[in-house]
Amino acid sequence: MLILKSEGITGILDEGTLTAYFGKEQISLPKNAFLEPGDSIRIRNRDFLVLKPDSIFFNEIAGRNTQAILPFDSSYIIYAAGILPGSHILEAGAGTGSLSYSILKAIGKEGKLVTLDLNEKTIGIARSNIEKFMPPDNWETIAADVRIENFKEKYDAAILDIPDPWNAVENMRKCIKPGGYLVTYSPNFNQAEKNVLTMKNSKFYVLETVELIKRNIIVRENATRPDNNIVDHTAFISFGVRTSMM
Protein backbone atom coordinates (compact mmCIF):
# COMPACT_ATOMS: atom_id res chain seq x y z
CA MET A 1 0.00 0.00 0.00
CA LEU A 2 1.06 3.57 -0.75
CA ILE A 3 -0.28 6.98 0.24
CA LEU A 4 -1.57 9.52 -2.28
CA LYS A 5 -1.27 13.07 -0.94
CA SER A 6 -2.49 16.36 -2.30
CA GLU A 7 -3.30 19.54 -0.39
CA GLY A 8 -6.37 18.78 1.70
CA ILE A 9 -6.78 15.23 0.36
CA THR A 10 -5.20 11.93 1.42
CA GLY A 11 -5.88 8.59 -0.27
CA ILE A 12 -4.65 5.01 -0.42
CA LEU A 13 -3.19 3.26 -3.43
CA ASP A 14 -3.56 -0.51 -3.53
CA GLU A 15 -0.51 -1.54 -5.53
CA GLY A 16 -1.93 -4.98 -6.29
CA THR A 17 -5.16 -3.83 -7.91
CA LEU A 18 -3.94 -0.34 -8.95
CA THR A 19 -7.01 1.14 -7.28
CA ALA A 20 -6.95 4.51 -5.51
CA TYR A 21 -9.28 4.94 -2.54
CA PHE A 22 -10.43 8.35 -1.32
CA GLY A 23 -12.86 7.55 1.46
CA LYS A 24 -15.63 5.53 -0.17
CA GLU A 25 -14.66 6.65 -3.69
CA GLN A 26 -12.62 4.19 -5.76
CA ILE A 27 -10.66 5.16 -8.88
CA SER A 28 -8.98 2.58 -11.12
CA LEU A 29 -5.57 3.58 -12.46
CA PRO A 30 -4.13 2.46 -15.83
CA LYS A 31 -3.04 -1.18 -15.72
CA ASN A 32 0.49 -0.31 -16.78
CA ALA A 33 0.97 2.24 -13.98
CA PHE A 34 4.08 1.74 -11.83
CA LEU A 35 4.47 4.07 -8.87
CA GLU A 36 7.04 4.40 -6.10
CA PRO A 37 7.40 6.81 -3.17
CA GLY A 38 8.43 10.22 -4.45
CA ASP A 39 6.59 9.86 -7.78
CA SER A 40 3.70 12.10 -8.75
CA ILE A 41 0.49 11.18 -10.53
CA ARG A 42 -2.42 13.20 -11.87
CA ILE A 43 -5.89 11.93 -10.96
CA ARG A 44 -9.00 13.82 -12.07
CA ASN A 45 -7.12 17.05 -12.73
CA ARG A 46 -5.34 17.01 -9.36
CA ASP A 47 -1.67 16.22 -8.78
CA PHE A 48 -0.85 13.70 -6.04
CA LEU A 49 2.50 12.83 -4.49
CA VAL A 50 3.12 9.13 -3.83
CA LEU A 51 4.37 8.46 -0.29
CA LYS A 52 5.18 5.57 2.02
CA PRO A 53 2.43 4.60 4.51
CA ASP A 54 4.09 6.39 7.43
CA SER A 55 2.45 6.87 10.82
CA ILE A 56 1.77 10.58 10.23
CA PHE A 57 -0.96 9.68 7.70
CA PHE A 58 -2.70 7.06 9.85
CA ASN A 59 -5.42 9.26 11.36
CA GLU A 60 -6.26 10.83 8.00
CA ILE A 61 -6.92 7.40 6.52
CA ALA A 62 -8.42 5.67 9.55
CA GLY A 63 -10.80 8.43 10.57
CA ARG A 64 -11.56 9.20 14.20
CA ASN A 65 -14.34 6.95 15.51
CA THR A 66 -12.84 7.50 18.97
CA GLN A 67 -10.31 9.97 20.31
CA ALA A 68 -7.07 9.17 18.51
CA ILE A 69 -3.59 9.66 19.93
CA LEU A 70 -1.96 12.14 17.58
CA PRO A 71 1.42 11.49 15.91
CA PHE A 72 3.42 13.95 18.01
CA ASP A 73 2.17 12.31 21.22
CA SER A 74 2.83 8.82 19.82
CA SER A 75 6.36 9.72 18.76
CA TYR A 76 7.26 11.11 22.18
CA ILE A 77 5.78 8.08 23.96
CA ILE A 78 7.87 5.75 21.80
CA TYR A 79 11.01 7.86 22.32
CA ALA A 80 10.65 8.40 26.08
CA ALA A 81 9.58 4.82 26.85
CA GLY A 82 12.61 3.38 25.05
CA ILE A 83 10.52 1.42 22.55
CA LEU A 84 12.94 -0.14 20.06
CA PRO A 85 13.07 -2.97 17.52
CA GLY A 86 12.44 -6.23 19.37
CA SER A 87 10.61 -4.63 22.33
CA HIS A 88 7.62 -6.41 23.90
CA ILE A 89 4.95 -3.81 24.63
CA LEU A 90 1.61 -3.89 26.44
CA GLU A 91 -1.08 -1.35 25.56
CA ALA A 92 -4.51 -0.76 27.09
CA GLY A 93 -7.09 1.14 25.05
CA ALA A 94 -7.23 0.34 21.34
CA GLY A 95 -8.84 3.58 20.09
CA THR A 96 -8.48 3.87 16.32
CA GLY A 97 -5.23 1.89 16.37
CA SER A 98 -3.12 5.02 15.86
CA LEU A 99 -0.67 4.38 18.71
CA SER A 100 -0.70 0.64 18.03
CA TYR A 101 0.40 1.24 14.43
CA SER A 102 3.22 3.54 15.50
CA ILE A 103 4.41 0.98 18.05
CA LEU A 104 4.28 -1.85 15.51
CA LYS A 105 6.41 0.22 13.15
CA ALA A 106 8.90 0.92 15.95
CA ILE A 107 9.27 -2.64 17.29
CA GLY A 108 9.60 -4.31 13.88
CA LYS A 109 8.84 -7.93 13.09
CA GLU A 110 11.03 -9.19 15.93
CA GLY A 111 8.99 -7.28 18.55
CA LYS A 112 5.54 -7.96 19.98
CA LEU A 113 2.58 -5.76 20.86
CA VAL A 114 -0.35 -6.88 23.03
CA THR A 115 -3.38 -4.54 23.08
CA LEU A 116 -6.28 -4.87 25.52
CA ASP A 117 -9.66 -3.19 25.32
CA LEU A 118 -12.96 -3.97 27.02
CA ASN A 119 -14.90 -3.33 23.80
CA GLU A 120 -14.54 -5.95 21.05
CA LYS A 121 -16.02 -3.52 18.51
CA THR A 122 -13.26 -1.00 19.25
CA ILE A 123 -10.65 -3.72 18.80
CA GLY A 124 -12.23 -4.61 15.45
CA ILE A 125 -12.06 -0.98 14.27
CA ALA A 126 -8.41 -0.66 15.29
CA ARG A 127 -7.48 -3.93 13.59
CA SER A 128 -9.33 -2.99 10.41
CA ASN A 129 -7.53 0.37 10.29
CA ILE A 130 -4.08 -1.14 10.80
CA GLU A 131 -4.65 -3.89 8.25
CA LYS A 132 -5.07 -1.15 5.63
CA PHE A 133 -1.41 -0.26 6.25
CA MET A 134 0.33 -3.52 7.14
CA PRO A 135 -0.18 -7.19 8.08
CA PRO A 136 0.05 -7.02 11.92
CA ASP A 137 1.41 -10.53 12.42
CA ASN A 138 3.10 -9.70 15.73
CA TRP A 139 0.08 -7.92 17.23
CA GLU A 140 -2.18 -9.70 19.72
CA THR A 141 -5.51 -8.10 20.66
CA ILE A 142 -7.48 -9.21 23.72
CA ALA A 143 -10.96 -8.18 24.88
CA ALA A 144 -10.14 -7.97 28.59
CA ASP A 145 -9.72 -5.66 31.58
CA VAL A 146 -6.11 -4.53 32.01
CA ARG A 147 -6.80 -3.76 35.67
CA ILE A 148 -7.28 -7.43 36.60
CA GLU A 149 -5.89 -9.48 33.70
CA ASN A 150 -3.33 -12.10 34.75
CA PHE A 151 -0.40 -11.58 32.37
CA LYS A 152 1.91 -14.53 31.83
CA GLU A 153 4.87 -12.61 30.38
CA LYS A 154 6.93 -9.56 31.28
CA TYR A 155 6.92 -6.44 29.11
CA ASP A 156 9.50 -3.75 28.37
CA ALA A 157 6.82 -1.05 28.63
CA ALA A 158 3.09 -0.65 29.20
CA ILE A 159 0.95 2.25 27.97
CA LEU A 160 -2.43 2.99 29.55
CA ASP A 161 -4.93 5.03 27.54
CA ILE A 162 -7.98 4.26 29.69
CA PRO A 163 -10.29 6.43 31.85
CA ASP A 164 -8.72 5.34 35.18
CA PRO A 165 -5.08 4.29 34.69
CA TRP A 166 -4.38 4.56 38.42
CA ASN A 167 -6.57 1.50 39.00
CA ALA A 168 -4.29 -0.57 36.76
CA VAL A 169 -0.92 0.58 38.14
CA GLU A 170 -0.47 -2.21 40.69
CA ASN A 171 -1.30 -4.85 38.08
CA MET A 172 1.22 -3.25 35.72
CA ARG A 173 3.92 -3.59 38.36
CA LYS A 174 3.47 -7.36 38.12
CA CYS A 175 4.02 -7.52 34.36
CA ILE A 176 6.59 -4.80 33.58
CA LYS A 177 10.25 -5.77 33.75
CA PRO A 178 12.38 -3.94 36.36
CA GLY A 179 13.72 -0.87 34.57
CA GLY A 180 10.79 -0.94 32.15
CA TYR A 181 8.38 1.94 31.64
CA LEU A 182 4.78 2.63 32.57
CA VAL A 183 3.11 5.39 30.54
CA THR A 184 -0.27 6.92 31.37
CA TYR A 185 -2.24 9.12 28.98
CA SER A 186 -5.00 11.21 30.57
CA PRO A 187 -6.80 14.37 29.47
CA ASN A 188 -7.18 16.30 32.76
CA PHE A 189 -5.14 17.41 35.77
CA ASN A 190 -7.02 15.35 38.36
CA GLN A 191 -6.40 12.15 36.40
CA ALA A 192 -2.72 12.97 35.92
CA GLU A 193 -2.34 13.65 39.65
CA LYS A 194 -3.93 10.32 40.57
CA ASN A 195 -1.71 8.51 38.07
CA VAL A 196 1.52 9.99 39.44
CA LEU A 197 0.65 9.57 43.12
CA THR A 198 -0.42 5.96 42.56
CA MET A 199 2.77 5.19 40.62
CA LYS A 200 4.87 6.61 43.45
CA ASN A 201 2.92 4.62 46.05
CA SER A 202 3.51 1.49 43.96
CA LYS A 203 7.28 2.07 43.94
CA PHE A 204 7.54 3.42 40.40
CA TYR A 205 10.11 6.15 39.88
CA VAL A 206 8.23 8.94 38.07
CA LEU A 207 10.44 10.61 35.48
CA GLU A 208 8.10 13.32 34.20
CA THR A 209 4.62 14.41 33.27
CA VAL A 210 4.37 16.36 30.03
CA GLU A 211 1.87 18.16 27.83
CA LEU A 212 2.86 18.53 24.18
CA ILE A 213 1.74 21.50 22.12
CA LYS A 214 1.92 21.61 18.31
CA ARG A 215 1.59 24.79 16.28
CA ASN A 216 1.72 24.61 12.50
CA ILE A 217 3.13 27.49 10.47
CA ILE A 218 1.46 28.64 7.26
CA VAL A 219 4.28 29.52 4.87
CA ARG A 220 3.45 31.91 2.02
CA GLU A 221 5.62 34.49 0.34
CA ASN A 222 5.56 37.69 2.44
CA ALA A 223 2.68 36.25 4.50
CA THR A 224 4.14 33.50 6.71
CA ARG A 225 2.27 33.22 10.01
CA PRO A 226 1.20 30.71 12.68
CA ASP A 227 -1.89 28.69 11.89
CA ASN A 228 -4.83 29.77 14.05
CA ASN A 229 -5.79 26.12 14.61
CA ILE A 230 -3.29 25.28 17.35
CA VAL A 231 -3.34 21.83 18.92
CA ASP A 232 -2.77 23.18 22.43
CA HIS A 233 -3.94 20.22 24.54
CA THR A 234 -4.40 16.52 23.95
CA ALA A 235 -3.43 14.86 27.23
CA PHE A 236 -1.02 14.77 30.14
CA ILE A 237 1.50 11.96 29.63
CA SER A 238 3.29 10.53 32.67
CA PHE A 239 6.32 8.25 32.54
CA GLY A 240 7.28 5.96 35.40
CA VAL A 241 10.06 3.39 35.74
CA ARG A 242 9.35 0.04 37.35
CA THR A 243 11.87 -0.27 40.18
CA SER A 244 13.02 -3.50 41.81
CA MET A 245 11.93 -2.26 45.25
CA MET A 246 9.28 -4.32 47.02
Side-chain angles (χ1 to χ4, degrees):
M1 188 195 82
L2 295 170
I3 297 294
L4 297 173
K5 183 69 177 175
S6 185
E7 186 172 356
I9 299 178
T10 304
I12 293 175
L13 173 63
D14 184 326
E15 298 172 88
T17 63
L18 289 175
T19 303
Y21 296 89
F22 300 95
K24 295 181 179 180
E25 185 180 12
Q26 301 180 22
I27 300 173
S28 296
L29 303 185
K31 292 184 179 179
N32 61 348
F34 179 78
L35 297 170
E36 293 182 323
D39 291 345
S40 61
I41 183 172
R42 193 165 183 81
I43 301 175
R44 293 189 176 175
N45 298 318
R46 182 186 283 267
D47 291 321
F48 288 87
L49 181 64
V50 181
L51 298 164
K52 296 179 294 182
D54 292 321
S55 302
I56 194 170
F57 305 115
F58 186 91
N59 288 334
E60 295 181 66
I61 297 300
R64 297 182 67 175
N65 300 295
T66 61
Q67 181 65 37
I69 295 182
L70 297 179
F72 62 92
D73 280 344
S74 295
S75 61
Y76 192 74
I77 289 170
I78 289 168
Y79 164 78
I83 297 174
L84 300 168
S87 296
H88 284 216
I89 307 299
L90 178 68
E91 175 194 27
T96 63
S98 174
L99 178 60
S100 304
Y101 179 64
S102 295
I103 292 171
L104 288 167
K105 295 271 283 185
I107 64 177
K109 293 181 179 179
E110 61 270 39
K112 180 181 179 181
L113 172 64
V114 177
T115 301
L116 280 75
D117 198 289
L118 290 171
N119 191 326
E120 289 190 15
K121 182 178 178 181
T122 301
I123 289 174
I125 291 170
R127 183 166 286 278
S128 175
N129 287 336
I130 288 176
E131 286 175 348
K132 294 174 185 175
F133 286 78
M134 66 186 295
D137 299 328
N138 55 337
W139 183 35
E140 181 181 356
T141 52
I142 306 171
D145 190 341
V146 71
R147 304 162 188 82
I148 59 173
E149 182 73 8
N150 183 22
F151 297 99
K152 294 181 172 59
E153 69 172 291
K154 301 290 185 182
Y155 296 92
D156 298 298
I159 302 148
L160 304 177
D161 178 19
I162 58 176
D164 57 337
W166 55 90
N167 286 327
V169 168
E170 192 56 37
N171 201 29
M172 294 300 92
R173 181 168 177 81
K174 300 173 185 176
C175 68
I176 297 174
K177 298 174 183 177
Y181 293 88
L182 174 60
V183 183
T184 61
Y185 187 90
S186 296
N188 67 53
F189 283 115
N190 290 339
Q191 291 170 314
E193 182 177 305
K194 286 183 180 180
N195 293 336
V196 170
L197 293 178
T198 304
M199 278 196 273
K200 289 181 176 180
N201 288 336
S202 296
K203 303 295 193 300
F204 281 85
Y205 181 85
V206 179
L207 289 172
E208 63 177 2
T209 296
V210 302
E211 175 189 39
L212 304 178
I213 297 172
K214 178 174 181 282
R215 183 171 73 170
N216 287 345
I217 304 298
I218 298 172
V219 179
R220 298 179 182 137
E221 187 173 1
N222 298 321
T224 297
R225 63 172 180 82
D227 192 336
N228 292 327
N229 297 317
I230 300 173
V231 182
D232 59 355
H233 176 70
T234 53
F236 301 108
I237 313 171
S238 298
F239 297 86
V241 179
R242 200 281 204 192
T243 68
S244 56
M245 292 185 290
M246 300 302 292

